[in-house]
Amino acid sequence: MLTRAVILPATALLVPGAAGATDPLAPMRLAVCAALANLAENGPPLVLAHASGPVRGPDVFRPSLAAAGIADHMLPDDVWTPWATRPALPPGGTAASVALLCLGMALGERAADVLALEAVSYTHLTLPTIR
């Protein structure tokens, strides 16, 4: 089985509005979104993200940058569009949320169904098969 990955920095600065009026990572965000869209052509992606606590997932999370000190209402409304009808989902950590928000820009509504797995280490985990 061929496995493909897009590795991206888990910095909130990849999300539009996270740096305020400036947009220091706009060119990188465009490259990340293009790579994620290309990756998703072969099937649904799985977000593997670093976490500081216990393993969470794989599960569907709503993104939130609150743990990074950025209140969700500070970001443009359109970054939340894929999750607008699913406010009851548990929030993902910062790293997973950055990936999910980038997927939202790349995939639109399909991003709201992407599974995420948060862990400190992946060496002991058996990853799920996604079809």
Side-chain angles (χ1 to χ4, degrees):
M1 179 178 155
L2 178 63
T3 301
R4 296 176 44 201
V6 173
I7 300 171
L8 58 120
T11 175
L13 295 176
L14 275 176
V15 179
T22 62
D23 199 0
L25 296 184
M28 181 180 282
R29 180 172 52 253
L30 291 174
V32 164
C33 289
L36 290 171
N38 182 274
L39 177 77
E41 288 176 3
N42 296 314
L46 170 68
V47 170
L48 299 176
H50 184 266
S52 57
V55 173
R56 293 192 332 147
D59 204 350
V60 178
F61 298 105
R62 73 174 163 76
S64 175
L65 298 179
I70 302 169
D72 295 341
H73 72 273
M74 299 299 290
L75 300 178
D77 289 339
D78 61 340
V79 301
W80 307 113
T81 300
W83 298 272
T85 62
R86 304 175 83 180
L89 290 173
T94 300
S97 294
V98 168
L100 289 170
L101 289 167
C102 288
L103 281 164
M105 290 178 271
L107 306 179
E109 298 295 324
R110 292 185 300 155
D113 294 319
V114 170
L115 294 175
L117 178 62
E118 298 179 319
V120 174
S121 170
Y122 293 97
T123 57
H124 65 283
L125 294 176
T126 301
L127 297 180
T129 301
I130 299 177
R131 298 176 203 256

